[in-house]
Amino acid sequence: MSEKNSKLSRRAFLLSVGAGGAAGAAALVVGNKTSAPAQNASNDKRSARGYAETAHVRNYYRTTKV
């Protein structure tokens, strides 16, 4: 009888961990969606430049060719 109770308690524990993880992931997704427009509105010069292929980057790409 105790073996059956221990299996059920493990199952309940794993179910609650899974549900908690899903709830945490959902909270992160919702939190990121609400804060994204505020990040785009910033006037940071670094974020406005975008990708720039410099000599350093070209050298890296050249050395990774197989």
Side-chain angles (χ1 to χ4, degrees):
M1 191 76 174
S2 65
E3 183 179 319
K4 195 173 196 177
N5 286 340
S6 66
K7 285 183 183 179
L8 288 177
S9 66
R10 283 188 217 134
R11 190 175 294 161
F13 171 74
L14 292 174
L15 181 64
S16 64
V17 168
L28 287 175
V29 169
V30 170
N32 285 341
K33 285 187 178 183
T34 57
S35 64
Q39 290 175 353
N40 291 338
S42 69
N43 292 330
D44 189 12
K45 290 182 181 179
R46 282 186 175 177
S47 65
R49 288 191 322 194
Y51 177 79
E53 187 175 329
T54 61
H56 180 267
V57 172
R58 284 190 296 272
N59 186 35
Y60 173 76
Y61 288 147
R62 183 183 53 80
T63 58
T64 57
K65 289 181 182 176
V66 177

Short mmCIF file of all heavy atoms in Angstrom, two decimals:
data_model
loop_
_atom_site.label_atom_id
_atom_site.label_comp_id
_atom_site.label_asym_id
_atom_site.label_seq_id
_atom_site.Cartn_x
_atom_site.Cartn_y
_atom_site.Cartn_z
N MET A 1 0.82 -1.19 0.00
CA MET A 1 0.00 0.00 0.00
C MET A 1 0.86 1.26 0.00
O MET A 1 0.55 2.21 -0.67
CB MET A 1 -0.93 -0.04 1.22
CG MET A 1 -1.98 0.99 1.20
SD MET A 1 -3.24 0.49 0.03
CE MET A 1 -4.41 1.74 0.31
N SER A 2 1.95 1.24 0.77
CA SER A 2 2.81 2.43 0.82
C SER A 2 3.52 2.65 -0.51
O SER A 2 3.84 3.78 -0.86
CB SER A 2 3.82 2.30 1.95
OG SER A 2 4.71 1.23 1.69
N GLU A 3 3.77 1.56 -1.26
CA GLU A 3 4.41 1.72 -2.57
C GLU A 3 3.50 2.48 -3.52
O GLU A 3 3.96 3.32 -4.29
CB GLU A 3 4.72 0.34 -3.14
CG GLU A 3 5.46 0.39 -4.46
CD GLU A 3 5.77 -0.99 -4.98
OE1 GLU A 3 6.15 -1.86 -4.18
OE2 GLU A 3 5.63 -1.19 -6.20
N LYS A 4 2.20 2.23 -3.44
CA LYS A 4 1.25 2.92 -4.29
C LYS A 4 1.19 4.41 -3.92
O LYS A 4 1.14 5.27 -4.80
CB LYS A 4 -0.13 2.29 -4.14
CG LYS A 4 -1.10 2.68 -5.20
CD LYS A 4 -2.37 1.86 -5.08
CE LYS A 4 -3.17 1.96 -6.34
NZ LYS A 4 -4.37 1.13 -6.28
N ASN A 5 1.23 4.73 -2.64
CA ASN A 5 1.21 6.12 -2.19
C ASN A 5 2.48 6.85 -2.62
O ASN A 5 2.43 8.02 -2.99
CB ASN A 5 1.05 6.20 -0.68
CG ASN A 5 -0.36 5.87 -0.25
OD1 ASN A 5 -1.28 5.94 -1.06
ND2 ASN A 5 -0.52 5.50 1.01
N SER A 6 3.63 6.18 -2.59
CA SER A 6 4.87 6.85 -2.97
C SER A 6 4.89 7.14 -4.46
O SER A 6 5.39 8.16 -4.90
CB SER A 6 6.08 6.02 -2.56
OG SER A 6 6.12 4.81 -3.29
N LYS A 7 4.34 6.23 -5.27
CA LYS A 7 4.25 6.48 -6.70
C LYS A 7 3.34 7.67 -6.99
O LYS A 7 3.64 8.50 -7.85
CB LYS A 7 3.75 5.24 -7.44
CG LYS A 7 4.77 4.15 -7.57
CD LYS A 7 4.23 2.99 -8.38
CE LYS A 7 5.25 1.88 -8.45
NZ LYS A 7 4.74 0.72 -9.21
N LEU A 8 2.26 7.75 -6.27
CA LEU A 8 1.34 8.86 -6.48
C LEU A 8 1.96 10.18 -6.05
O LEU A 8 1.77 11.19 -6.70
CB LEU A 8 0.04 8.61 -5.73
CG LEU A 8 -0.89 7.54 -6.32
CD1 LEU A 8 -2.11 7.36 -5.44
CD2 LEU A 8 -1.29 7.90 -7.72
N SER A 9 2.72 10.16 -4.97
CA SER A 9 3.32 11.41 -4.53
C SER A 9 4.41 11.86 -5.51
O SER A 9 4.56 13.05 -5.76
CB SER A 9 3.89 11.27 -3.12
OG SER A 9 4.98 10.37 -3.11
N ARG A 10 5.16 10.94 -6.07
CA ARG A 10 6.15 11.31 -7.08
C ARG A 10 5.46 11.86 -8.31
O ARG A 10 5.91 12.84 -8.90
CB ARG A 10 6.98 10.08 -7.48
CG ARG A 10 8.02 9.73 -6.48
CD ARG A 10 8.91 8.64 -7.03
NE ARG A 10 9.26 7.76 -5.93
CZ ARG A 10 9.22 6.45 -5.95
NH1 ARG A 10 8.88 5.82 -7.04
NH2 ARG A 10 9.55 5.75 -4.91
N ARG A 11 4.38 11.24 -8.70
CA ARG A 11 3.64 11.69 -9.87
C ARG A 11 3.08 13.09 -9.64
O ARG A 11 3.14 13.95 -10.52
CB ARG A 11 2.52 10.71 -10.18
CG ARG A 11 1.85 10.97 -11.50
CD ARG A 11 0.83 9.92 -11.81
NE ARG A 11 1.50 8.64 -12.02
CZ ARG A 11 0.89 7.47 -11.95
NH1 ARG A 11 -0.39 7.40 -11.65
NH2 ARG A 11 1.55 6.36 -12.17
N ALA A 12 2.55 13.34 -8.46
CA ALA A 12 2.02 14.66 -8.14
C ALA A 12 3.13 15.71 -8.11
O ALA A 12 2.94 16.83 -8.58
CB ALA A 12 1.30 14.62 -6.79
N PHE A 13 4.29 15.31 -7.60
CA PHE A 13 5.41 16.24 -7.56
C PHE A 13 5.84 16.61 -8.98
O PHE A 13 6.04 17.78 -9.30
CB PHE A 13 6.59 15.61 -6.80
CG PHE A 13 7.86 16.40 -6.91
CD1 PHE A 13 8.02 17.57 -6.22
CD2 PHE A 13 8.90 15.96 -7.72
CE1 PHE A 13 9.18 18.31 -6.31
CE2 PHE A 13 10.06 16.68 -7.82
CZ PHE A 13 10.21 17.86 -7.12
N LEU A 14 6.00 15.62 -9.84
CA LEU A 14 6.42 15.90 -11.21
C LEU A 14 5.38 16.70 -11.96
O LEU A 14 5.72 17.57 -12.77
CB LEU A 14 6.72 14.58 -11.94
CG LEU A 14 7.94 13.83 -11.44
CD1 LEU A 14 8.06 12.49 -12.14
CD2 LEU A 14 9.21 14.64 -11.64
N LEU A 15 4.13 16.46 -11.69
CA LEU A 15 3.06 17.23 -12.32
C LEU A 15 3.12 18.69 -11.88
O LEU A 15 3.00 19.61 -12.69
CB LEU A 15 1.70 16.63 -11.98
CG LEU A 15 0.48 17.32 -12.58
CD1 LEU A 15 0.51 17.21 -14.09
CD2 LEU A 15 -0.79 16.71 -12.04
N SER A 16 3.35 18.91 -10.60
CA SER A 16 3.41 20.29 -10.11
C SER A 16 4.65 21.01 -10.61
O SER A 16 4.60 22.20 -10.91
CB SER A 16 3.35 20.32 -8.58
OG SER A 16 4.49 19.68 -8.04
N VAL A 17 5.77 20.31 -10.75
CA VAL A 17 6.98 20.93 -11.29
C VAL A 17 6.76 21.32 -12.75
O VAL A 17 7.15 22.40 -13.19
CB VAL A 17 8.18 19.98 -11.15
CG1 VAL A 17 9.37 20.45 -11.96
CG2 VAL A 17 8.57 19.84 -9.69
N GLY A 18 6.12 20.44 -13.51
CA GLY A 18 5.83 20.74 -14.90
C GLY A 18 4.89 21.91 -15.06
O GLY A 18 5.09 22.78 -15.91
N ALA A 19 3.87 21.95 -14.25
CA ALA A 19 2.91 23.05 -14.31
C ALA A 19 3.57 24.37 -13.89
O ALA A 19 3.32 25.42 -14.48
CB ALA A 19 1.71 22.76 -13.43
N GLY A 20 4.43 24.30 -12.89
CA GLY A 20 5.13 25.51 -12.46
C GLY A 20 6.08 26.02 -13.52
O GLY A 20 6.21 27.23 -13.73
N GLY A 21 6.75 25.12 -14.20
CA GLY A 21 7.65 25.52 -15.28
C GLY A 21 6.90 26.16 -16.43
O GLY A 21 7.35 27.16 -17.01
N ALA A 22 5.77 25.60 -16.78
CA ALA A 22 4.95 26.16 -17.86
C ALA A 22 4.43 27.54 -17.48
O ALA A 22 4.42 28.46 -18.29
CB ALA A 22 3.81 25.22 -18.19
N ALA A 23 4.02 27.69 -16.23
CA ALA A 23 3.52 29.00 -15.78
C ALA A 23 4.65 30.02 -15.77
O ALA A 23 4.45 31.18 -16.14
CB ALA A 23 2.91 28.87 -14.39
N GLY A 24 5.84 29.61 -15.37
CA GLY A 24 6.98 30.53 -15.36
C GLY A 24 7.36 30.95 -16.77
O GLY A 24 7.67 32.12 -17.03
N ALA A 25 7.35 30.02 -17.72
CA ALA A 25 7.66 30.36 -19.11
C ALA A 25 6.62 31.30 -19.68
O ALA A 25 6.96 32.25 -20.40
CB ALA A 25 7.74 29.08 -19.94
N ALA A 26 5.36 31.07 -19.36
CA ALA A 26 4.30 31.96 -19.84
C ALA A 26 4.46 33.36 -19.27
O ALA A 26 4.25 34.35 -19.96
CB ALA A 26 2.94 31.39 -19.48
N ALA A 27 4.86 33.44 -18.02
CA ALA A 27 5.06 34.76 -17.40
C ALA A 27 6.21 35.50 -18.06
O ALA A 27 6.15 36.72 -18.26
CB ALA A 27 5.31 34.60 -15.91
N LEU A 28 7.27 34.79 -18.42
CA LEU A 28 8.39 35.43 -19.09
C LEU A 28 8.01 35.93 -20.48
O LEU A 28 8.40 37.02 -20.89
CB LEU A 28 9.57 34.46 -19.20
CG LEU A 28 10.33 34.18 -17.93
CD1 LEU A 28 11.39 33.11 -18.17
CD2 LEU A 28 10.98 35.44 -17.41
N VAL A 29 7.24 35.15 -21.20
CA VAL A 29 6.81 35.55 -22.54
C VAL A 29 5.93 36.77 -22.46
O VAL A 29 6.10 37.72 -23.22
CB VAL A 29 6.10 34.38 -23.25
CG1 VAL A 29 5.42 34.85 -24.52
CG2 VAL A 29 7.09 33.27 -23.56
N VAL A 30 5.00 36.78 -21.54
CA VAL A 30 4.10 37.93 -21.40
C VAL A 30 4.90 39.15 -20.95
O VAL A 30 4.68 40.25 -21.43
CB VAL A 30 2.96 37.61 -20.41
CG1 VAL A 30 2.18 38.86 -20.05
CG2 VAL A 30 2.04 36.57 -21.01
N GLY A 31 5.85 38.96 -20.06
CA GLY A 31 6.66 40.07 -19.58
C GLY A 31 7.52 40.66 -20.67
O GLY A 31 7.70 41.87 -20.76
N ASN A 32 8.06 39.83 -21.55
CA ASN A 32 8.90 40.33 -22.65
C ASN A 32 8.09 41.07 -23.69
O ASN A 32 8.56 42.03 -24.28
CB ASN A 32 9.65 39.17 -23.30
CG ASN A 32 10.79 38.68 -22.45
OD1 ASN A 32 11.26 39.38 -21.56
ND2 ASN A 32 11.24 37.47 -22.71
N LYS A 33 6.87 40.66 -23.94
CA LYS A 33 6.05 41.32 -24.95
C LYS A 33 5.64 42.71 -24.50
O LYS A 33 5.54 43.61 -25.31
CB LYS A 33 4.82 40.48 -25.27
CG LYS A 33 5.13 39.29 -26.12
CD LYS A 33 3.88 38.58 -26.55
CE LYS A 33 4.25 37.42 -27.44
NZ LYS A 33 3.08 36.73 -27.95
N THR A 34 5.43 42.90 -23.22
CA THR A 34 4.99 44.20 -22.76
C THR A 34 6.15 45.18 -22.67
O THR A 34 5.96 46.37 -22.79
CB THR A 34 4.31 44.11 -21.38
OG1 THR A 34 5.22 43.52 -20.45
CG2 THR A 34 3.04 43.29 -21.46
N SER A 35 7.38 44.69 -22.50
CA SER A 35 8.51 45.60 -22.37
C SER A 35 9.24 45.84 -23.68
O SER A 35 10.12 46.69 -23.76
CB SER A 35 9.50 45.05 -21.34
OG SER A 35 10.04 43.83 -21.79
N ALA A 36 8.91 45.14 -24.75
CA ALA A 36 9.61 45.29 -26.03
C ALA A 36 9.45 46.68 -26.64
O ALA A 36 10.43 47.24 -27.11
CB ALA A 36 9.15 44.21 -27.01
N PRO A 37 8.26 47.29 -26.66
CA PRO A 37 8.17 48.63 -27.25
C PRO A 37 9.02 49.67 -26.51
O PRO A 37 9.54 50.59 -27.10
CB PRO A 37 6.69 48.97 -27.15
CG PRO A 37 6.01 47.66 -27.11
CD PRO A 37 6.96 46.75 -26.37
N ALA A 38 9.19 49.51 -25.23
CA ALA A 38 10.00 50.46 -24.48
C ALA A 38 11.47 50.36 -24.88
O ALA A 38 12.17 51.35 -24.91
CB ALA A 38 9.84 50.22 -22.98
N GLN A 39 11.94 49.17 -25.20
CA GLN A 39 13.32 48.99 -25.61
C GLN A 39 13.55 49.58 -27.00
O GLN A 39 14.59 50.14 -27.28
CB GLN A 39 13.69 47.51 -25.61
CG GLN A 39 13.79 46.92 -24.23
CD GLN A 39 14.03 45.42 -24.27
OE1 GLN A 39 14.00 44.81 -25.33
NE2 GLN A 39 14.28 44.84 -23.11
N ASN A 40 12.60 49.47 -27.89
CA ASN A 40 12.74 50.00 -29.23
C ASN A 40 12.69 51.52 -29.24
O ASN A 40 13.22 52.15 -30.15
CB ASN A 40 11.64 49.46 -30.14
CG ASN A 40 11.82 47.98 -30.40
OD1 ASN A 40 12.92 47.45 -30.25
ND2 ASN A 40 10.75 47.31 -30.78
N ALA A 41 12.08 52.11 -28.25
CA ALA A 41 11.93 53.55 -28.21
C ALA A 41 13.19 54.26 -27.71
O ALA A 41 13.30 55.47 -27.81
CB ALA A 41 10.75 53.93 -27.32
N SER A 42 14.16 53.51 -27.19
CA SER A 42 15.35 54.15 -26.66
C SER A 42 16.19 54.74 -27.79
O SER A 42 16.19 54.25 -28.91
CB SER A 42 16.19 53.15 -25.85
OG SER A 42 16.76 52.20 -26.73
N ASN A 43 16.91 55.80 -27.51
CA ASN A 43 17.74 56.48 -28.50
C ASN A 43 19.20 56.12 -28.35
O ASN A 43 20.08 56.95 -28.55
CB ASN A 43 17.55 57.99 -28.39
CG ASN A 43 16.15 58.41 -28.81
OD1 ASN A 43 15.56 57.77 -29.65
ND2 ASN A 43 15.64 59.47 -28.21
N ASP A 44 19.49 54.88 -28.03
CA ASP A 44 20.85 54.42 -27.85
C ASP A 44 21.53 54.33 -29.21
O ASP A 44 21.04 53.71 -30.14
CB ASP A 44 20.85 53.05 -27.16
CG ASP A 44 22.24 52.62 -26.75
OD1 ASP A 44 23.16 53.45 -26.80
OD2 ASP A 44 22.40 51.44 -26.38
N LYS A 45 22.70 54.97 -29.35
CA LYS A 45 23.39 54.99 -30.64
C LYS A 45 23.89 53.61 -31.04
O LYS A 45 23.95 53.29 -32.21
CB LYS A 45 24.56 55.96 -30.58
CG LYS A 45 24.13 57.40 -30.51
CD LYS A 45 25.32 58.32 -30.50
CE LYS A 45 24.87 59.77 -30.40
NZ LYS A 45 26.01 60.68 -30.38
N ARG A 46 24.25 52.78 -30.07
CA ARG A 46 24.73 51.44 -30.41
C ARG A 46 23.66 50.60 -31.08
O ARG A 46 23.92 49.90 -32.04
CB ARG A 46 25.20 50.71 -29.15
CG ARG A 46 26.54 51.14 -28.69
CD ARG A 46 26.96 50.25 -27.55
NE ARG A 46 28.30 50.56 -27.13
CZ ARG A 46 28.90 49.99 -26.12
NH1 ARG A 46 28.27 49.09 -25.41
NH2 ARG A 46 30.13 50.30 -25.81
N SER A 47 22.44 50.64 -30.55
CA SER A 47 21.38 49.82 -31.11
C SER A 47 20.92 50.35 -32.47
O SER A 47 20.38 49.60 -33.27
CB SER A 47 20.20 49.74 -30.16
OG SER A 47 19.62 51.01 -30.01
N ALA A 48 21.13 51.61 -32.76
CA ALA A 48 20.69 52.19 -34.01
C ALA A 48 21.63 51.83 -35.16
O ALA A 48 21.23 51.86 -36.31
CB ALA A 48 20.57 53.71 -33.88
N ARG A 49 22.88 51.51 -34.87
CA ARG A 49 23.84 51.22 -35.93
C ARG A 49 23.55 49.92 -36.64
O ARG A 49 23.72 49.82 -37.84
CB ARG A 49 25.26 51.18 -35.38
CG ARG A 49 25.79 52.54 -35.01
CD ARG A 49 27.25 52.52 -34.73
NE ARG A 49 27.67 51.32 -34.01
CZ ARG A 49 28.84 51.19 -33.43
NH1 ARG A 49 29.68 52.16 -33.47
NH2 ARG A 49 29.17 50.08 -32.81
N GLY A 50 23.20 48.89 -35.92
CA GLY A 50 22.96 47.59 -36.52
C GLY A 50 24.25 46.84 -36.77
O GLY A 50 25.30 47.14 -36.21
N TYR A 51 24.19 45.88 -37.67
CA TYR A 51 25.33 45.01 -37.96
C TYR A 51 26.31 45.74 -38.88
O TYR A 51 25.93 46.36 -39.86
CB TYR A 51 24.83 43.74 -38.64
CG TYR A 51 25.95 42.82 -39.06
CD1 TYR A 51 26.56 42.00 -38.13
CD2 TYR A 51 26.38 42.77 -40.37
CE1 TYR A 51 27.58 41.16 -38.49
CE2 TYR A 51 27.39 41.93 -40.74
CZ TYR A 51 28.00 41.11 -39.81
OH TYR A 51 29.01 40.28 -40.18
N ALA A 52 27.58 45.67 -38.54
CA ALA A 52 28.62 46.26 -39.37
C ALA A 52 29.72 45.23 -39.57
O ALA A 52 30.26 44.69 -38.61
CB ALA A 52 29.18 47.52 -38.72
N GLU A 53 30.05 44.94 -40.83
CA GLU A 53 31.11 43.99 -41.11
C GLU A 53 32.43 44.73 -41.11
O GLU A 53 32.77 45.47 -42.04
CB GLU A 53 30.86 43.32 -42.46
CG GLU A 53 31.84 42.21 -42.72
CD GLU A 53 31.53 41.46 -43.99
OE1 GLU A 53 30.36 41.35 -44.36
OE2 GLU A 53 32.49 40.98 -44.61
N THR A 54 33.18 44.54 -40.05
CA THR A 54 34.47 45.20 -39.90
C THR A 54 35.58 44.24 -40.30
O THR A 54 35.34 43.07 -40.62
CB THR A 54 34.68 45.63 -38.44
OG1 THR A 54 34.65 44.47 -37.61
CG2 THR A 54 33.59 46.60 -37.98
N ALA A 55 36.81 44.72 -40.28
CA ALA A 55 37.95 43.88 -40.61
C ALA A 55 38.05 42.72 -39.63
O ALA A 55 38.39 41.59 -40.01
CB ALA A 55 39.23 44.70 -40.59
N HIS A 56 37.75 42.98 -38.38
CA HIS A 56 37.80 41.92 -37.37
C HIS A 56 36.79 40.81 -37.69
O HIS A 56 37.09 39.63 -37.59
CB HIS A 56 37.51 42.52 -35.99
CG HIS A 56 37.52 41.52 -34.90
ND1 HIS A 56 36.37 40.89 -34.48
CD2 HIS A 56 38.53 41.03 -34.15
CE1 HIS A 56 36.69 40.05 -33.50
NE2 HIS A 56 37.99 40.11 -33.27
N VAL A 57 35.59 41.19 -38.09
CA VAL A 57 34.55 40.23 -38.42
C VAL A 57 34.94 39.45 -39.68
O VAL A 57 34.79 38.22 -39.73
CB VAL A 57 33.19 40.93 -38.60
CG1 VAL A 57 32.13 39.99 -39.13
CG2 VAL A 57 32.75 41.55 -37.30
N ARG A 58 35.44 40.12 -40.70
CA ARG A 58 35.87 39.44 -41.92
C ARG A 58 36.99 38.45 -41.62
O ARG A 58 37.02 37.34 -42.16
CB ARG A 58 36.34 40.45 -42.96
CG ARG A 58 35.19 41.17 -43.64
CD ARG A 58 35.67 41.98 -44.83
NE ARG A 58 36.57 43.05 -44.44
CZ ARG A 58 36.18 44.27 -44.09
NH1 ARG A 58 34.91 44.58 -44.09
NH2 ARG A 58 37.07 45.18 -43.75
N ASN A 59 37.91 38.81 -40.73
CA ASN A 59 38.99 37.90 -40.34
C ASN A 59 38.44 36.68 -39.63
O ASN A 59 38.88 35.56 -39.88
CB ASN A 59 40.00 38.63 -39.45
CG ASN A 59 41.20 37.77 -39.14
OD1 ASN A 59 41.63 36.99 -39.98
ND2 ASN A 59 41.74 37.91 -37.95
N TYR A 60 37.46 36.88 -38.78
CA TYR A 60 36.85 35.74 -38.09
C TYR A 60 36.19 34.80 -39.09
O TYR A 60 36.36 33.58 -39.03
CB TYR A 60 35.82 36.23 -37.06
CG TYR A 60 35.03 35.10 -36.46
CD1 TYR A 60 35.61 34.27 -35.50
CD2 TYR A 60 33.73 34.84 -36.87
CE1 TYR A 60 34.89 33.21 -34.96
CE2 TYR A 60 33.02 33.78 -36.35
CZ TYR A 60 33.61 32.97 -35.38
OH TYR A 60 32.91 31.92 -34.87
N TYR A 61 35.41 35.35 -40.02
CA TYR A 61 34.75 34.51 -41.00
C TYR A 61 35.77 33.76 -41.87
O TYR A 61 35.59 32.61 -42.22
CB TYR A 61 33.84 35.34 -41.90
CG TYR A 61 32.58 35.83 -41.23
CD1 TYR A 61 32.03 37.05 -41.57
CD2 TYR A 61 31.95 35.09 -40.24
CE1 TYR A 61 30.87 37.50 -40.96
CE2 TYR A 61 30.80 35.53 -39.63
CZ TYR A 61 30.27 36.73 -39.99
OH TYR A 61 29.13 37.18 -39.39
N ARG A 62 36.87 34.43 -42.19
CA ARG A 62 37.91 33.80 -43.01
C ARG A 62 38.54 32.63 -42.27
O ARG A 62 38.79 31.58 -42.85
CB ARG A 62 38.99 34.83 -43.36
CG ARG A 62 40.08 34.30 -44.27
CD ARG A 62 41.15 35.35 -44.53
NE ARG A 62 41.72 35.92 -43.31
CZ ARG A 62 42.65 35.34 -42.55
NH1 ARG A 62 43.12 34.16 -42.87
NH2 ARG A 62 43.10 35.93 -41.47
N THR A 63 38.75 32.75 -40.97
CA THR A 63 39.40 31.69 -40.22
C THR A 63 38.47 30.53 -39.90
O THR A 63 38.94 29.45 -39.56
CB THR A 63 39.97 32.23 -38.89
OG1 THR A 63 38.91 32.79 -38.12
CG2 THR A 63 41.04 33.25 -39.13
N THR A 64 37.15 30.71 -40.04
CA THR A 64 36.24 29.61 -39.73
C THR A 64 35.93 28.76 -40.96
O THR A 64 35.26 27.74 -40.82
CB THR A 64 34.92 30.15 -39.16
OG1 THR A 64 34.33 31.06 -40.11
CG2 THR A 64 35.13 30.83 -37.83
N LYS A 65 36.39 29.14 -42.11
CA LYS A 65 36.15 28.34 -43.31
C LYS A 65 36.91 27.03 -43.22
O LYS A 65 38.05 26.98 -42.78
CB LYS A 65 36.59 29.08 -44.57
CG LYS A 65 35.70 30.25 -44.92
CD LYS A 65 36.17 30.91 -46.18
CE LYS A 65 35.32 32.11 -46.52
NZ LYS A 65 35.82 32.81 -47.69
N VAL A 66 36.25 25.98 -43.62
CA VAL A 66 36.89 24.65 -43.54
C VAL A 66 37.35 24.21 -44.90
O VAL A 66 36.78 24.40 -45.90
CB VAL A 66 35.91 23.60 -42.95
CG1 VAL A 66 36.55 22.23 -42.95
CG2 VAL A 66 35.49 24.02 -41.58
#
